[in-house]
Amino acid sequence: MLVPIFIASIIASINAASIASRSQSYPLPRAGVLGPKTTITVGNNVISPDGFERSATLVDGTFPGPLITAQKGDSFAIEVVNGLTDDTMFKSTSIHWHGIYQNGTNYADGTSFVSQCPIAQNNSFVHTFSVPNQAGTYWYHSHYSCDGLKGPLVIYDPDDPFAYMYDVDDATTVITLSDWYHVVAPVTRYFIGVEASSSLINGLGRYTPDIQSDLAVINVEQGKRYRMRLIAMSCDPNFLFSIDGHNLTVIEADGVLTEPLAVDKLRIFPGQRYSVVLEANKSVDNYWIRSFPNISGTSFDGGMNSAILRYNGAQQVDPTTNDTIAKMALEEWNLHTLINPGAPGIPGYGNADINLNLNVTNPNGTFYVNNVSFKSPTVPVLLQILSGAQDASQLLPNESIIVLDANKVVELTMSTGGLGGPHPIHLHGHAFDVVQSAGNSTFNYVNPVRRDVVNAGGIGQQMVIRWITDNSGPWFLHCHIDWHLDAGFAVVMAESPSDTLAHLNPVPTDWDQLCPIFDSLSPSQLGALDAYEQAESITPILFPQPHIP
């Protein structure tokens, strides 16, 4: 990103009043666990997860939001109620169920202006979908604003082939990694370059070593084995994750089981998830859990970017461990899918049915994919398709829709240039095989990792992925750094538009009402009216003009 250090320092100085210091760390208070049929309310509340107090957009008043759990094969019916009231932030919302394929239920994907219009204030929408063949670690988040609306979603498999490897896998072993900002997202989205004020583990952290705000504590019993489910919920940074003195065995990447791989540190990008098995085989004590973000000038001083692994019987004090040197760091190309390994189609680069090349550039802070910057349409792409649009020339936004025929093998190559990398690329509606990881010169069509978010690498690198177009509908392909998506880093993969209506389950009546209600909203009902003016008061390094959310 451009000038991140300058803007980060400005943000850190804004309204820098903090809550009272606390010298003691406490066990993490876990929000209630919800089932697959539930109601959640999106609203505003003042919180201080890193010692700095601000209003946020939350699910059921907590950050992160409540854990939603289900069993493989379950059907979901989640009503999202919009109770937003804070005028400084957007007062409409949407929730994307990240990693869920939504096969036959594209309308429930929760992607604003791709699969639906946002949910207006004082309205609701019920997301109905099923997961017949999915189990693993997922999450939910807004595709409308990065102000705290995010939470974990876990689908358990009663026949998990790795069940013999661990003793504990429950709400206490879900670990969320996130960034936090002291300025609301409608303001920061206009900055050309911004860095987080702090990073959080399970919703707690410290933005300065001088403020001893609470840290998350994960309790373990000596001799037991734990399946830790790591979820990177950040709007921007990636994290280097480790637990002092302990190795971790990776068994899942983005909802797909992998052959077990022992590591001592792993880098996790926004949107990615890993399950790792931790064996509590060390002496009874406290150990630092570390989640180091790629934020300039940050450190572990005073417990920043950290949480505590506490063995039962250990004193309630901060750890004194210091284990930061990687000996077995995770490399993505060393991960191999466990079940049905192998990329689809004929092995060999360029041998797919459809071969796509996307080149990403970033002049002056705006992102372009093949020379086109994505701008959200006023009519969701799915609604356009259901209204009769079939060809790329008929679909908006112009030149940002890639139409794909049904049941074809797609091989996509992406290369990125300019500042702001590395970029985590997420494809909705699918998991894909990573036949070439960024930073690796070799291809693997035999047993590559299969996932739904991949690092596209930096300047001079490329990544190559494959998937089959067996899920008709429009699916977002985008950078999972929120500020980059706001700045145009996205396209839509429209799979077999002519088949979409027949492929979908009956579209709910309340889905049809989302756009008329949203389109009737006044500017004051949308919220964040003076966001651009606030941004101008902070820094002149902005995009040249506001863009409509």
Side-chain angles (χ1 to χ4, degrees):
M1 289 184 178
L2 304 180
V3 295
I5 298 175
F6 171 69
I7 294 180
S9 64
I10 294 175
I11 292 175
S13 68
I14 299 171
N15 299 325
S18 65
I19 62 173
S21 298
R22 291 180 285 264
S23 60
Q24 184 60 271
S25 298
Y26 299 93
L28 173 71
R30 172 68 66 180
V33 177
L34 305 177
K37 293 179 169 58
T38 190
T39 296
I40 58 177
T41 299
V42 179
N44 300 115
N45 200 5
V46 174
I47 60 174
S48 53
D50 65 351
F52 178 89
E53 194 171 78
R54 59 155 286 193
S55 179
T57 298
L58 307 174
V59 175
D60 291 351
T62 66
F63 180 81
L67 169 63
I68 298 175
T69 66
Q71 297 288 315
K72 184 177 181 180
D74 278 352
S75 294
F76 286 77
I78 303 175
E79 182 181 20
V80 177
V81 178
N82 183 346
L84 294 168
T85 57
D86 192 325
D87 291 329
T88 68
M89 288 174 278
F90 296 128
K91 293 192 287 188
S92 297
T93 192
S94 71
I95 294 184
H96 167 55
W97 314 98
H98 184 117
I100 304 301
Y101 300 152
Q102 301 291 359
N103 200 315
T105 52
N106 180 274
Y107 53 77
D109 191 48
T111 313
S112 294
F113 307 112
V114 176
S115 62
Q116 68 170 77
C117 280
I119 304 167
Q121 185 185 39
N122 300 319
N123 282 272
S124 66
F125 177 63
V126 180
H127 294 258
T128 55
F129 55 91
S130 60
V131 288
N133 301 306
Q134 288 190 263
T137 309
Y138 307 93
W139 64 299
Y140 59 90
H141 62 87
S142 173
H143 246 298
Y144 196 66
S145 173
C146 191
D147 268 316
L149 197 172
K150 52 190 73 177
L153 188 158
V154 175
I155 302 173
Y156 295 99
D157 184 355
D159 300 315
D160 179 13
F162 286 140
Y164 71 94
M165 293 184 64
Y166 54 86
D167 306 302
V168 182
D169 177 22
D170 57 23
T172 67
T173 62
V174 175
I175 302 177
T176 63
L177 311 176
S178 58
D179 49 357
W180 195 247
Y181 298 81
H182 295 170
V183 177
V184 296
V187 174
T188 54
R189 73 200 296 259
Y190 291 121
F191 295 172
I192 301 179
V194 61
E195 285 191 332
S197 304
S198 64
S199 69
L200 311 176
I201 299 177
N202 281 350
L204 295 173
R206 295 169 181 168
Y207 78 93
T208 170
D210 301 323
I211 302 298
Q212 295 296 296
S213 52
D214 293 348
L215 297 180
V217 177
I218 297 173
N219 294 289
V220 295
E221 180 180 338
Q222 189 181 46
K224 287 193 174 181
R225 303 161 303 166
Y226 295 80
R227 178 174 180 165
M228 304 290 191
R229 296 177 181 265
L230 312 179
I231 307 174
M233 295 182 171
S234 57
C235 306
D236 185 348
N238 60 70
F239 303 101
L240 184 62
F241 181 87
S242 63
I243 301 178
D244 282 9
H246 294 75
N247 289 337
L248 308 169
T249 302
V250 180
I251 60 171
E252 176 208 349
D254 298 355
V256 181
L257 296 179
T258 68
E259 295 178 4
L261 179 67
V263 302
D264 60 355
K265 288 177 174 54
L266 61 85
R267 188 168 300 281
I268 182 168
F269 290 85
Q272 289 186 332
R273 294 89 63 209
Y274 287 108
S275 277
V276 298
V277 175
L278 176 142
E279 186 174 354
N281 58 2
K282 304 302 179 182
S283 60
V284 172
D285 205 344
N286 296 286
Y287 299 84
W288 283 121
I289 300 172
R290 302 179 186 272
S291 179
F292 196 75
N294 62 324
I295 299 173
S296 59
T298 194
S299 71
F300 294 121
D301 292 349
M304 293 193 302
N305 308 304
S306 303
I308 299 170
L309 182 76
R310 176 166 294 152
Y311 278 65
N312 292 349
Q315 292 184 330
Q316 294 191 18
V317 297
D318 283 357
T320 58
T321 56
N322 186 19
D323 181 12
T324 60
I325 305 301
K327 305 176 188 67
M328 300 186 301
L330 173 66
E331 299 288 1
E332 183 181 65
W333 51 84
N334 289 330
L335 288 174
H336 305 293
T337 295
L338 179 71
I339 300 171
N340 298 323
I346 300 171
Y349 184 63
N351 290 336
D353 301 319
I354 301 171
N355 297 282
L356 301 175
N357 284 276
L358 300 183
N359 181 46
V360 181
T361 54
N362 176 24
N364 302 319
T366 298
F367 285 90
Y368 294 83
V369 180
N370 287 358
N371 299 316
V372 179
S373 185
F374 183 86
K375 293 179 173 58
S376 295
T378 56
V379 177
V381 180
L382 178 59
L383 181 55
Q384 296 177 48
I385 291 172
L386 296 181
S387 300
Q390 304 293 311
D391 300 324
S393 61
Q394 300 172 312
L395 292 165
L396 299 174
N398 287 329
E399 300 182 90
S400 288
I401 310 290
I402 299 174
V403 174
L404 304 172
D405 290 338
N407 299 311
K408 301 294 184 181
V409 175
V410 178
E411 183 169 273
L412 183 149
T413 301
M414 179 175 287
S415 57
T416 60
L419 301 176
H423 301 280
I425 306 304
H426 175 44
L427 175 63
H428 293 215
H430 292 276
F432 46 72
D433 287 272
V434 184
V435 297
Q436 185 184 28
S437 295
N440 188 16
S441 60
T442 62
F443 290 82
N444 180 4
Y445 291 90
V446 177
N447 59 352
V449 66
R450 186 174 298 137
R451 62 187 323 159
D452 59 54
V453 180
V454 63
N455 167 28
I459 298 173
Q461 297 179 337
Q462 70 173 25
M463 66 80 178
V464 183
I465 59 176
R466 277 195 181 188
W467 77 93
I468 298 176
T469 57
D470 56 2
N471 192 2
S472 181
W475 303 108
F476 221 12
L477 177 81
H478 63 92
C479 178
H480 218 289
I481 295 174
D482 286 60
W483 320 122
H484 296 182
L485 175 55
D486 277 340
F489 195 159
V491 295
V492 175
M493 299 290 172
E495 293 187 23
S496 55
S498 60
D499 302 324
T500 300
L501 180 60
H503 183 72
L504 290 180
N505 296 342
V507 178
T509 302
D510 54 350
W511 183 87
D512 287 322
Q513 297 304 310
L514 289 173
C515 286
I517 294 172
F518 179 79
D519 292 340
S520 69
L521 297 178
S522 66
S524 64
Q525 290 173 312
L526 291 172
L529 281 180
D530 60 347
Y532 195 76
E533 289 74 14
Q534 289 186 48
E536 286 182 310
S537 71
I538 297 171
T539 173
I541 309 171
L542 302 174
F543 291 105
Q545 57 185 356
H547 45 282
I548 301 300

